Amino acid sequence: MTHHNEGCLRVGQPAPEFTATAVVDQEFKTVKLSDYKGKYVVLFFYPLDFTFVCPTEITAFSDRYPEFKEINTEVLGISVDSEFSHLAWIQTDRKEGGVGDLNYPLVSDIKKEISSAYNVLDPDAGVALRGLFIIDKEGIIQHATINNLSFGRNVEETLRTLKAIQYVQFHPDEVCPAGWQPGDKTMVPDPVKKKVYFASV
């Protein structure tokens, strides 16, 4: 399946729609990205079930899931594994290298169409790189990062970025400086007014 946006999916563009089978509460369900309109979505790709870096990352997102839910955000994990592999991994205890019960859906991209649409497919390895996308309530990509296969992502940083995006969307006249945390001062993107921010730090 080729996409007209091959190689040029950027922040500010609509997130490619998909329909796929996911494991939710140990059941198979069909999920569509558009089901989450009106919510923010953290969409993250990972290479394979039953590998070493993945479980730490996947369980970390699950353990912090209530914090995402609190700010109107759904988390979706995606790999090119089948839904059966996802289910087996969820049914495997964390001590045995599984992920145990998760608080969010694990989506199967067995045909590799979703990872292709998001330009995170590693064609040589045949798996998805560690792409992470934050999609806003209107379905627009606001943040995208792609890590190589061997290192995981930071849930804390994802939450911080998400809160910064939400803040800026609610306060369109302000921008968030680097390392911004909720409650910190923001900057007004105006040559004179920005001095107010710099004067205050």
Side-chain angles (χ1 to χ4, degrees):
M1 197 162 111
T2 51
H3 289 262
H4 63 278
N5 64 353
E6 203 72 298
C8 64
L9 185 67
R10 287 190 305 274
V11 166
Q13 291 184 328
E17 170 64 314
F18 60 82
T19 302
T21 305
V23 181
V24 186
D25 294 328
Q26 301 209 13
E27 286 177 26
F28 297 144
K29 294 208 170 113
T30 301
V31 298
K32 295 211 305 275
L33 182 62
S34 52
D35 292 344
Y36 303 104
K37 271 272 168 78
K39 282 186 171 188
Y40 288 79
V41 175
V42 171
L43 188 67
F44 75 93
F45 292 84
Y46 64 95
L48 285 173
D49 294 344
F50 294 103
T51 51
F52 298 110
V53 180
C54 300
T56 54
E57 193 174 59
I58 280 155
T59 55
F61 272 103
S62 187
D63 294 343
R64 304 289 295 273
Y65 180 77
E67 294 172 62
F68 286 98
K69 200 175 171 190
E70 212 171 88
I71 52 174
N72 190 28
T73 303
E74 184 54 77
V75 176
L76 295 174
I78 303 186
S79 78
V80 299
D81 298 284
S82 72
E83 62 270 34
F84 305 104
S85 171
H86 283 348
L87 181 62
W89 203 30
I90 286 168
Q91 288 176 340
T92 303
D93 193 272
R94 288 185 184 190
K95 292 198 254 329
E96 311 292 319
V99 287
D101 270 323
L102 294 176
N103 288 319
Y104 59 87
L106 276 194
V107 178
S108 165
D109 182 25
I110 192 94
K111 295 189 191 136
K112 305 182 181 179
E113 290 174 349
I114 308 172
S115 28
S116 298
Y118 284 82
N119 299 316
V120 295
L121 190 66
D122 175 341
D124 301 329
V127 299
L129 297 166
R130 295 178 188 281
L132 183 141
F133 299 85
I134 297 178
I135 300 162
D136 71 13
K137 295 184 301 208
E138 313 302 322
I140 303 298
I141 298 172
Q142 292 295 338
H143 172 79
T145 52
I146 300 176
N147 287 3
N148 211 338
L149 298 175
S150 56
F151 60 104
R153 281 150 296 199
N154 181 331
V155 179
E156 196 62 59
E157 179 57 16
T158 303
L159 272 164
R160 191 194 68 76
T161 306
L162 184 60
K163 288 172 180 172
I165 289 166
Q166 292 184 350
Y167 185 92
V168 171
Q169 289 194 331
F170 286 117
H171 304 83
D173 300 336
E174 299 174 42
V175 294
C176 292
W180 179 88
Q181 293 281 4
D184 288 357
K185 288 194 163 61
T186 52
M187 208 186 293
V188 177
D190 167 291
V192 179
K193 289 184 187 154
K194 77 165 193 240
K195 289 186 181 149
V196 176
Y197 169 81
F198 287 115
S200 72
V201 290

